[in-house]
Amino acid sequence: MGKVTLRNLAAHKIRLVLTAVAVILGVAFVAGTLMFTDTMNKRFDDLFSRIGTNVAVDVRAKKVVDGDDDGSAAQPVPAAVLKAVQNVDGVKDPFGNVTGYAAVVGADGKVVGQSGEGPPQLGTNWNPKGSYDLKTGRAPRGPHEVVIDADTASKGKIAVGSTARIVTSGQPARMTVVGLIDTGDLMGATVTAFDTPTAQRMLLKPGFFSDIEMASSGPSQAELKSRVAKALPEGMEAVTGTELREETKSDIASMLNFFRTFLLVFALISIFVGAFIIFNTFSMLVAQRTRELALLRAIGAARPQVTRAVIGEAVAVGFVGSTFGLAAGAGLAAALQAASGMGGGLTFTASPVIWSYVVGIVVTVVSAYFPARRAAKIPPVAAMRDDVALPQRSLRIRVALGSLLTLVGAGLIGTGLSGGGGSAVALVGGGAFGVFIGVAMLAPVISVPVVRVLAAPFAKVMGTPGRLAQQNALRNPRRTAATAAALMIGLALITMVNVMGASMRKSVDAQIDRQFGADYLVQPQGGGGIDPGVLPKVKATPGVQSASVTYEGKAKIAGDGTTYMAGDVAAIASAARLKIVSGGTDLGAAGMMVDEGTAKDEGWKVGSTVSAQFTDGKTQRLTVAGVYAKSDLIGGKVIALPVYLAHTAKPSADALLVDAASTDAGTKAALETTLKDHPNLKVSDQASLKKDARKQVDFIVTFLSILLAMSVIIAAVGVINTLALSVIERTREIGLLRAIGISRRQLRRMIRLESIVIAVFGALLGMGIGVSFGAALQNALKDKGLSELSIPFGTLVAYLVVAAVIGVLAALWPAWRAGRMDVLKAISTE
């Protein structure tokens, strides 16, 4: 039977190559994702292996608030601690680090590398024994000198000896660039270094450090940590250099694992779609070789042997597809690496290779298993009949099972969306999978009336080719449904993403209209805060009536880590159009306002006192002075400004609220002129806030749609495969049509119309499911800010047109092949 398998592979090369394409595309996604994340892991490992290699122990403030993962609200370490650890036996070369936000303004007047949530812009003090080496120039000395990384200097067209503007959370400064540093591959991050006093003044607070690192003169890291810990005041902690690096590695690893899982989900979707194509192809191949397989049974081949022969073909297709998919995955990983700006070559491990072959071969074999079993059931006597065909099972069991799966899947989705706790994601994912399988099983029943309606205009307008296309699409509902189901899955997910995107845009617009009452909002871009000196300048701007700053802090309130807002509470209430339910906005020196949901959950009311622990480790009791209706713009808590200032080492304004006499272009231009020395600050009115929000949503929708487009491409390959095999199956029929007078043009038109009908049917099925999923998600997330449902009908119509175009393109080669058939040879085909 091995020879039979090889002969069949050689005889059906073109048919199986198209099947292999589906495997290649799916495997490429998996392999590319694994290779890219392996490369990123290796790059970060190399980076951390050379950063802090001489650090035996690091001293820092204890983290109080769990939400402070980036350390932005961490309490600084007093200089007195540095003096204390210097006297600890075994401590060598202790050095106080200062870190914070610092950005470089390029020759074009724009902040280098500023891109919203892009790479970090780091400021630090120069450590001659630190992780960075001077590439050219010298170390900074004095309050007007700075060194910057060579990559930033190149992007900003800044040379050693020139003057550069440095932007921090305080007043921007013009400083002389005295050196360039080599930071290695930090993937776009900006590094700016000052001498220690200057760094403390600009980034933190004079007389304080972010942390203190030290080497060891002999003791082990654990022993030195124990000794240093005894010399530390309350609120400080010591960690070994190994622990520090592992913490950072762990944070990066968590991010990379999420990214890997995120991409692999889309890869699995593509593979899932490919499975439909493989199943459909092998079903058609088996059907076309029914007499051949019956002859094998007649000459003594056992059922298991026939099954193994077909499975052997699947293994070969899976192996070849996996091999080419692995190679294509390397190309995809290289493209992702180039897009991320990460230099160097790819890292190759065994994991992508193993998973590529496992996924490619297993999916192909599983998809081909049922057609293989069906082939083995062909009775030997069938070889003697001319009209031999595979027996078709009744659709009753299929309809019953499909209906059950659809209902169960919908139930799981509903349970997950209504609050399935930690298993919500699994419930929704399992439910969606169940619905897809259920609808795919019901598709043969659904296809008959839908295809009849879709093809009716073709039958009337296109005449004979249109009627034949309709009959061909209806001839085998199972095949039509299986082909359309592959397209259904991709378009269902793309439609759902677009419905969610449109709903997000509409919800944000409505939220801004309802809750944003200020005329202008000034915010820092790319990190950092707002210089306190900006406020009086803005207030003095022509046309401005009032301006106030807001602050954002972190605390543990009633035992839970949370983010709160502080500032001029009356101005915040006015800017957010807060609806005060009880109490008022006068918070005094130690008051707090909370939203209704928080008050209800915690059992608080006006006059309740609540214990709060802040990032400096100190605890203070706050009095609830007011309760307001839910506001997505300011969150659930507002705390009196004196409390924030008392517990924050370096207060940094998060936003500036501005009211003006007129919101015309002149006022906005005047504000931008006032802030010209602060290129990191952006002035926004309601229109620009909406525009920025739409841009973010559009980016997410586009990104997800591109990832899902792979499944649509695979589905298009499936349509090509089905039509190509259908043309081969109908060779004699096509010959007879040509013999009775149908032209080649009419024949090609018939196949194109059949392809369009299948593609549009799949698109309609997918878009229907996608709209339903999107509406269900929006309804479930109403309380999370997604208050408005919006269905992008224009986009859906465009997708329908795209589906029709896919149908036309998919039919080009099968139609061309059908038109080139020799009439006499086609008629004589058995």
Side-chain angles (χ1 to χ4, degrees):
M1 294 304 291
K3 291 181 179 179
V4 172
T5 299
L6 292 174
R7 185 187 63 78
N8 286 332
L9 287 170
H12 308 119
K13 292 187 291 291
I14 296 178
R15 313 178 198 184
L16 294 174
V17 162
L18 290 174
T19 307
V21 169
V23 181
I24 291 169
L25 293 176
V27 169
F29 212 152
V30 173
T33 296
L34 294 175
M35 288 182 192
F36 178 63
T37 51
D38 283 346
T39 300
M40 291 185 70
N41 274 320
K42 179 65 164 54
R43 198 60 46 83
F44 279 113
D45 285 344
D46 292 343
L47 177 64
F48 292 127
S49 66
R50 82 184 185 102
I51 289 181
T53 51
N54 297 322
V55 177
V57 173
D58 189 82
V59 173
R60 63 191 183 187
K62 291 180 179 178
K63 186 164 68 173
V64 176
V65 182
D66 293 336
D68 184 30
D69 295 326
D70 59 358
S72 60
Q75 190 70 6
V77 180
V81 176
L82 177 60
K83 294 181 180 179
V85 300
Q86 285 174 338
N87 299 320
V88 174
D89 183 33
V91 169
K92 179 183 177 182
D93 299 329
F95 186 84
N97 293 313
V98 180
T99 56
Y101 167 81
V104 180
V105 181
D108 59 357
K110 298 180 181 179
V111 174
V112 179
Q114 178 174 293
S115 57
E117 297 297 326
Q121 293 162 317
L122 308 173
T124 185
N125 58 328
W126 174 252
N127 182 356
K129 296 183 179 180
S131 304
Y132 305 133
D133 299 322
L134 271 173
K135 187 174 183 180
T136 183
R138 60 173 176 81
R141 296 192 293 266
H144 303 296
E145 293 184 351
V146 66
V147 296
I148 62 177
D149 67 277
D151 187 46
T152 297
S154 176
K155 291 177 181 176
K157 298 181 180 179
I158 300 169
V160 173
S162 62
T163 300
R165 233 184 328 160
I166 308 299
V167 177
T168 64
S169 297
Q171 182 69 27
R174 291 188 175 275
M175 310 185 80
T176 302
V177 178
V178 297
L180 302 180
I181 53 179
D182 179 13
T183 58
D185 185 9
L186 288 184
M187 290 177 284
T190 297
V191 178
T192 309
F194 317 87
D195 67 6
T196 296
T198 304
Q200 289 174 323
R201 173 176 55 83
M202 296 182 68
L203 306 178
L204 191 59
K205 190 176 182 180
F208 287 84
F209 300 102
S210 301
D211 66 293
I212 298 171
E213 64 179 45
M214 63 206 72
S216 173
S217 62
S220 66
Q221 289 189 2
E223 174 61 26
L224 187 60
K225 170 186 172 181
S226 177
R227 295 178 187 180
V228 170
K230 295 175 182 178
L232 297 180
E234 186 179 354
M236 298 291 130
E237 67 175 356
V239 295
T240 65
T242 301
E243 290 172 341
L244 187 65
R245 286 187 290 275
E246 288 302 319
E247 281 182 12
T248 311
K249 279 186 180 181
S250 177
D251 292 339
I252 296 296
S254 297
M255 179 192 72
L256 290 178
N257 286 337
F258 171 79
F259 183 64
R260 172 182 288 197
T261 303
F262 177 77
L263 289 179
L264 284 177
V265 167
F266 290 92
L268 291 175
I269 291 170
S270 297
I271 290 169
F272 182 50
V273 171
F276 278 86
I277 307 306
I278 297 165
F279 172 82
N280 207 24
T281 300
F282 274 92
S283 294
M284 295 182 72
L285 286 174
V286 168
Q288 291 173 13
R289 290 154 50 195
T290 302
R291 191 171 186 183
E292 171 193 328
L293 295 172
L295 282 170
L296 288 174
R297 293 279 287 116
I299 61 175
R303 285 187 177 186
Q305 288 179 304
V306 174
T307 301
R308 284 197 297 271
V310 178
I311 292 295
E313 295 176 33
V315 170
V317 170
F319 180 81
V320 172
S322 298
T323 302
F324 283 98
L326 185 62
L332 178 61
L336 287 172
Q337 185 181 25
S340 67
M342 185 172 61
L346 290 175
T347 298
F348 293 97
T349 64
S351 179
V353 178
I354 293 171
W355 280 109
S356 293
Y357 284 104
V358 168
V359 168
I361 294 174
V362 169
V363 169
T364 307
V365 169
V366 170
S367 301
Y369 175 72
F370 290 103
R373 283 197 61 189
R374 199 179 308 147
K377 292 179 181 180
I378 300 172
V381 71
M384 294 182 288
R385 297 203 305 265
D386 290 332
D387 59 343
V388 60
L390 283 176
Q392 295 286 344
R393 287 185 178 181
S394 170
L395 288 175
R396 291 180 182 177
I397 296 176
R398 182 168 182 156
V399 170
L401 186 56
S403 300
L404 180 62
L405 282 173
T406 303
L407 291 174
V408 171
L412 289 174
I413 292 173
T415 304
L417 294 178
S418 61
S423 61
V425 174
L427 288 172
V428 172
F433 181 77
V435 169
F436 279 130
I437 296 297
V439 173
M441 294 184 74
L442 292 172
V445 178
I446 301 172
S447 68
V448 175
V450 174
V451 167
R452 185 171 281 117
V453 172
L454 287 176
F458 295 149
K460 290 182 179 179
V461 177
M462 301 293 182
T464 300
R467 286 193 297 274
L468 289 172
Q470 182 187 49
Q471 292 170 11
N472 288 334
L474 290 169
R475 177 185 299 180
N476 194 329
R478 297 171 190 263
R479 181 184 303 167
T480 298
T483 307
L487 194 59
M488 170 196 77
I489 296 168
L491 280 176
L493 295 172
I494 291 176
T495 300
M496 181 185 71
V497 167
N498 277 270
V499 170
M500 292 296 291
S503 299
M504 288 171 68
R505 286 189 287 267
K506 187 175 180 180
S507 298
V508 169
D509 286 353
Q511 187 182 97
I512 291 173
D513 289 336
R514 288 195 306 264
Q515 299 183 5
F516 186 73
D519 293 325
Y520 297 100
L521 180 69
V522 178
Q523 288 180 303
Q525 302 295 298
I530 299 177
D531 172 21
V534 167
L535 182 59
K537 293 180 183 178
V538 170
K539 286 183 175 180
T541 301
V544 172
Q545 291 182 323
S546 64
S548 61
V549 294
T550 66
Y551 301 88
E552 187 178 280
K554 295 181 174 69
K556 187 179 289 185
I557 300 177
D560 295 324
T562 186
T563 299
Y564 65 86
M565 184 174 284
D568 183 338
V569 181
I572 292 174
S574 174
R577 294 177 176 166
L578 283 187
K579 179 183 177 182
I580 306 299
V581 177
S582 59
T585 59
D586 184 5
L587 305 188
M592 175 176 68
M593 293 178 67
V594 298
D595 66 8
E596 280 183 298
T598 302
K600 182 179 179 181
D601 292 341
E602 300 291 345
W604 297 339
K605 58 184 179 180
V606 174
S608 298
T609 58
V610 183
S611 177
Q613 186 179 23
F614 295 88
T615 53
D616 59 357
K618 297 178 181 178
T619 300
Q620 183 174 349
R621 295 198 70 80
L622 305 176
T623 302
V624 177
V627 178
Y628 56 88
K630 180 183 177 182
S631 172
D632 296 307
L633 291 182
I634 69 170
K637 299 177 181 69
V638 179
I639 293 178
L641 181 58
V643 177
Y644 168 80
L645 297 175
H647 297 285
T648 305
K650 187 176 177 63
S652 178
D654 181 62
L656 187 61
L657 305 171
V658 181
D659 284 324
S662 174
T663 56
D664 55 17
T667 304
K668 187 175 182 180
L671 281 170
E672 290 172 342
T673 301
T674 297
L675 300 172
K676 65 180 181 180
D677 291 332
H678 302 266
N680 64 320
L681 300 183
K682 181 178 180 180
V683 180
S684 303
D685 54 16
Q686 284 198 8
S688 55
L689 283 174
K690 291 178 181 179
K691 183 178 178 181
D692 290 343
R694 290 191 201 107
K695 280 183 179 179
Q696 293 181 14
V697 173
D698 290 343
F699 173 79
I700 295 171
V701 170
T702 302
F703 178 64
L704 295 178
S705 296
I706 289 173
L707 292 177
L708 289 168
M710 182 70 79
S711 63
V712 177
I713 294 172
I714 293 174
V717 171
V719 177
I720 297 173
N721 219 2
T722 299
L723 289 173
L725 291 173
S726 179
V727 166
I728 294 170
E729 186 179 77
R730 299 184 335 232
T731 299
R732 188 175 185 182
E733 175 187 318
I734 290 171
L736 289 170
L737 288 173
R738 293 279 289 115
I740 63 175
I742 193 170
S743 67
R744 289 182 176 180
R745 177 178 295 181
Q746 289 176 312
L747 186 63
R748 289 194 291 266
R749 185 180 300 160
M750 175 191 76
I751 295 173
R752 283 198 300 270
L753 293 178
E754 180 183 352
S755 179
I756 291 171
V757 169
I758 293 173
V760 171
F761 169 56
L764 287 174
L765 208 56
M767 287 190 292
I769 294 173
V771 169
S772 301
F773 280 6
L777 278 172
Q778 181 276 327
N779 185 65
L781 296 173
K782 265 188 176 181
D783 295 336
K784 304 295 183 182
L786 203 62
S787 57
E788 308 291 328
L789 173 64
S790 177
I791 299 175
F793 290 104
T795 302
L796 298 185
V797 170
Y799 285 155
L800 203 58
V801 172
V802 169
V805 172
I806 289 173
V808 172
L809 296 176
L812 290 178
W813 179 64
W816 174 80
R817 183 171 180 174
R820 291 181 69 247
M821 284 185 183
D822 182 273
V823 177
L824 294 178
K825 288 183 179 179
I827 293 174
S828 62
T829 300
E830 293 186 5

